[in-house]
Amino acid sequence: MAIVKKFSRVAFVAPLLLFAGACGDGAEAPQGAASNGPPGGPLTASASAPISESASTPPIDPAVRAADTVARLTDEDLAGQVLMPYAYGGSATQVDAGAAAGNRQLAGVNTPAEMIVKYRLGGLILVSFTQQDPTGKTNPTSNVENPKQVRALTDGLQAAARQLPAAAPLMIGTDQEYGVVTRITDGVTLLPSALAMGAAGKPELTEAAWRAAGEELAAMGVTVDFAPVADTLGAAGSAVIGSRSYGSDPKANAAQVAAAVRGMQAGGVASALKHFPGHGHTSGDSHDELPVIKQSAAAWRAQDLPPFQAGVQAGAGLVMSGHLDLQAVDKGVAATFSHKVMTGVLRGELKFTGVAITDAMNMAPAKKWPAGEAAVRALNAGNDMLLMPPDIGAARDGILAGLKSGALKRERLVEAVTRILTLKFRTAATPQPDLSVVGSAAHQQAVSALDAASITVLRGRCSGPLVSGAVTVTAPSSRELARANLVKALQAAGVQVQAAGGAEIRLVGYGDKPIDLSPDAAVTVMMDLPGLLAYAKSPTLLATYSSSKLSLDALAAVLAGKAPAPGKSPIAVAGLPRSACVK
C-alpha cells in the first residue's frame, strides 16, 4: 500500500483545532498575489493541519463537528464555504500564462490554490470541455488529464484548504456521469451511459459498477460526483438529457438511481441527484433558456419524482437544483430560486437533509440577476451551495451584503454551511484508496458484466454470429476511436475484419442524424439514444447506448455469436420492439 500523502482524508477525522485571531480588520489583500487573503484579512498560522486522532479516541460525530466549526466562523468564512467555482490550470500552484490569465479574470488570482485561500472556498469543481458534450457550454476550460495528474491537483487543492479557519476538507466535485458527460477519461474504468444501465435492467450490476467508479474517483481525490441523473425521459425525450437518463419508466429508474447512490457512496464519494425537480419532460436546454415542465402536479409526481425520492431514501449526499420552471408548483420561477420547490418539496415532502446545490450559476436562467443577487436568491430558496458562480467576488460580496441588509438571514447561511461541513466530514471519514485501484482488473470485470447485460438487438437474429464472413466497420469521422476499438474487439473475438469489401457494420452515436446512416450496412449499431435506428434499413439493428471500450467489447461478443444480447431498450423506438430477443 502506498504511503498516504500528508494531507489525507483520514487526517480530517481528527478533532478540530480551535482558532484564534484568524480574522483581521476586514481589509482585503491586493489581488493577484500568491499570498492573497479573503476579506477577513490574511490567514494566520493557527489554521494549520488538524492533529491526527489516536486509534483509541472515538470519532467525533460529523454533525457535531460541523456545528462546532460553524460557531467559530466569521461571515466571510461562511460566505466562502457555500461557493464551488471552477478554476483554470491542471495544478493547484503551478499554471501556465493562459491559465493564470483565466484565473485573474475569474477571481483576481493566478492559481487555484490562491483562489481557495482568497475566498475561503468550501469547494471546487473539476471541469473538462469536449465538443460532443451537452454540458460543454458551462465548461470553458479543462483541468483534468489522467488519474495521476488529478490526484496531484486535488492534493494541492486540499493543502490550500488546510490553511483556512474551517480546517475542513475541500469539497471537490466533477461531472463524471459516464457516457456523453465524462470529465476524466484517460486511464479510468469507463462505465457505460445511464441508458445502458437501464437497458441491462439489473440494479445489482449498476451498484457494483458505481462502487468501482466511486473508488476510482475517491482515489483521485474527488469527493463529490454530480451523478446519477435522476431525470425520467418523457415520450418526446429531452435533447440535453438523452442517454444520461436511465429511461422512461419512473419505477425502473428509481431502482437504478438508488443502486447508483449506494454503490458510489460505498466507494467513498458523495453522490448528487440531478436535475431536481426533473429535466426529462422538457424540450428546452437550461444552459440557454428556462425550460418549462408542463405536466400536471399528479403527472409530475408520478413520472419525475420517484427516482429523486428513491435516491434520497438511499442516502444521497446532495441534490442538484435544476434551472427549470415547474409550473404545477411555482409557475414562472426556476426551481433553483423557488422556495416552494427547494424547501417545500425537497425538504418538506422528500425529507431531504443533505446538501442542496445549484446547477451551474453561469447558465442563462441563473444569470437573470447579477451574481450577488442570484446568490442570495438561491440561498433563500433553500440551496446550500452555489456551483460555478460567473463572478466569484460578486457572489461572495452579494452574500455579505445580504447579511448586512437582512436580505439573507445569518441563520440560513449557518444552516447551509453546517450541512456542507457535515457532508465533508462524513465523506472524509472513509480512507482514500490508493491510485492503484484505478482501472484495476476487478473494476473492469464489474463494469464488463454491466456492459454485457445492456447490449440490445432491436432487429435481427438472437443467436449465433449476427454477420457471416469478413466484416468492414464504418462510422462518421468523429467516431474513429469507437470504430478502431470495435475493430480490435472483433478481431479478438475471431471475426475477420478488413478495410473494405466486407459486410458493413455501421456505428452511429450522439448527435448523429439519418444522413449519417449507411443504407447498405448489414448491421447498424447505435451508441446513444436508439431512436435513430427507426430510420436505419439494415436487417440487423443493435444498441449499446454507449461508445466506451468495454461496451464495444461486449458488442463484439454478441456480433461474433459468443454472447447473447439480453438488453431491452429503456425507451420506445418507433416501429421497433424494445428487444427482438427478450420478452
Side-chain angles (χ1 to χ4, degrees):
M1 188 72 175
I3 296 174
V4 179
K5 294 193 176 181
K6 186 174 182 180
F7 184 85
S8 70
R9 294 182 172 201
V10 181
F12 281 117
V13 183
L16 297 174
L17 295 178
L18 295 175
F19 298 97
C23 301
D25 60 5
E28 186 170 348
Q31 293 188 336
S35 60
N36 277 347
L43 298 172
T44 72
S46 63
S48 58
I51 299 171
S52 295
E53 180 176 344
S54 70
S56 61
T57 304
I60 302 174
D61 179 82
V64 173
R65 296 179 63 200
D68 288 346
T69 303
V70 167
R72 295 192 297 273
L73 298 182
T74 66
D75 289 352
E76 289 83 1
D77 298 324
L78 295 173
Q81 279 294 316
V82 303
L83 301 177
M84 182 184 271
Y86 64 90
Y88 292 83
S91 164
T93 57
Q94 302 292 326
V95 300
D96 61 26
N103 287 325
R104 285 195 297 271
Q105 182 177 11
L106 184 64
V109 297
N110 290 318
T111 69
E114 291 171 3
M115 189 185 300
I116 291 167
V117 173
K118 177 180 179 179
Y119 291 102
R120 306 193 182 192
L121 295 178
L124 199 81
I125 182 172
L126 307 184
V127 293
S128 177
F129 173 80
T130 56
Q131 288 291 339
Q132 291 198 332
D133 183 340
T135 68
K137 296 173 185 176
T138 59
N139 287 258
T141 185
S142 297
N143 56 10
V144 295
E145 299 170 13
N146 57 64
K148 184 177 180 180
Q149 173 267 326
V150 174
R151 174 66 176 261
L153 169 61
T154 58
D155 281 349
L157 297 175
Q158 294 289 15
R162 191 171 61 200
Q163 301 178 47
L164 303 181
L170 192 70
M171 187 181 291
I172 301 178
T174 197
D175 289 294
Q176 192 82 345
E177 297 175 15
Y178 300 95
V180 295
V181 178
T182 306
R183 300 291 182 241
I184 309 165
T185 59
D186 184 14
V188 303
T189 305
L190 290 175
L191 276 60
S193 68
L195 201 66
M197 299 181 200
K202 294 184 177 296
E204 66 276 14
L205 296 181
T206 297
E207 183 171 346
W210 270 110
R211 178 161 189 158
E215 289 176 355
E216 295 197 2
L217 288 168
M220 290 183 280
V222 174
T223 68
V224 169
D225 189 9
F226 295 116
V229 171
D231 304 323
T232 296
L233 291 179
S238 172
V240 71
I241 301 302
S243 61
R244 301 164 65 192
S245 165
Y246 291 95
S248 60
D249 182 335
K251 183 177 180 181
N253 288 0
Q256 292 287 339
V257 166
V261 169
R262 290 193 302 268
M264 189 192 311
Q265 297 194 162
V269 172
S271 65
L273 309 174
K274 64 185 187 187
H275 308 80
F276 188 76
H279 207 328
H281 286 82
T282 63
S283 57
D285 183 345
S286 57
H287 293 84
D288 305 316
E289 59 183 296
L290 178 61
V292 175
I293 304 171
K294 297 181 179 179
Q295 297 141 291
S296 67
W300 166 71
R301 291 180 187 282
Q303 296 167 359
D304 287 1
L305 209 53
F308 289 100
Q309 188 166 32
V312 168
Q313 292 174 349
L318 304 93
V319 171
M320 177 184 284
S321 64
H323 305 321
L324 308 164
D325 178 4
L326 180 58
Q327 292 191 331
V329 174
D330 199 1
K331 187 174 183 179
V333 181
T336 297
F337 305 100
S338 170
H339 190 271
K340 293 180 180 178
V341 173
M342 295 307 299
T343 300
V345 177
L346 182 61
R347 303 293 185 188
E349 294 185 31
L350 298 189
K351 308 301 181 186
F352 178 62
T353 59
V355 173
I357 186 168
T358 71
D359 205 342
M361 296 291 281
N362 62 357
M363 293 163 67
K367 293 171 73 174
K368 178 180 178 180
W369 304 280
E373 182 179 352
V376 171
R377 285 176 176 268
L379 289 166
N380 279 334
N383 291 281
D384 303 309
M385 203 163 202
L386 310 175
L387 183 64
M388 301 173 77
D391 186 323
I392 303 171
R396 188 273 318 277
D397 292 345
I399 293 169
L400 295 177
L403 291 174
K404 187 174 181 179
S405 70
L408 176 65
K409 301 300 182 185
R410 195 175 194 273
E411 51 265 34
R412 169 77 272 269
L413 189 59
V414 165
E415 177 186 55
V417 176
T418 302
R419 288 178 181 148
I420 291 166
L421 291 174
T422 299
L423 178 63
K424 292 201 286 189
F425 290 139
R426 182 177 295 128
T427 304
T430 300
Q432 185 174 16
D434 188 79
L435 266 181
S436 62
V437 305
V438 180
S440 66
H443 289 176
Q444 297 272 322
Q445 184 176 7
V447 176
S448 292
L450 178 58
D451 282 302
S454 71
I455 308 300
T456 306
V457 172
L458 288 88
R459 184 163 68 210
R461 298 177 56 185
C462 298
S463 62
L466 301 191
V467 61
S468 58
V471 302
T472 297
V473 181
T474 68
S477 58
S478 60
R479 317 226 169 272
E480 177 55 28
L481 178 60
R483 192 198 70 81
N485 281 336
L486 180 59
V487 166
K488 293 176 183 176
L490 286 169
Q491 290 172 332
V495 177
Q496 181 185 351
V497 184
Q498 54 194 47
E504 184 182 4
I505 300 174
R506 181 69 172 179
L507 297 177
V508 285
Y510 174 76
D512 286 340
K513 307 260 188 312
I515 195 173
D516 296 303
L517 297 168
S518 173
D520 300 322
V523 178
T524 298
V525 180
M526 185 58 188
M527 302 182 294
D528 196 68
L529 283 176
L532 189 60
L533 294 177
Y535 302 92
K537 305 301 181 185
S538 303
T540 300
L541 304 175
L542 292 97
T544 65
Y545 317 94
S546 179
S547 60
S548 70
K549 182 181 180 301
L550 295 179
S551 288
L552 296 173
D553 287 348
L555 169 66
V558 172
L559 290 169
K562 296 181 179 294
K568 295 177 66 175
S569 175
I571 61 173
V573 180
L576 293 170
R578 298 290 181 108
S579 169
C581 303
V582 181
K583 300 302 181 185

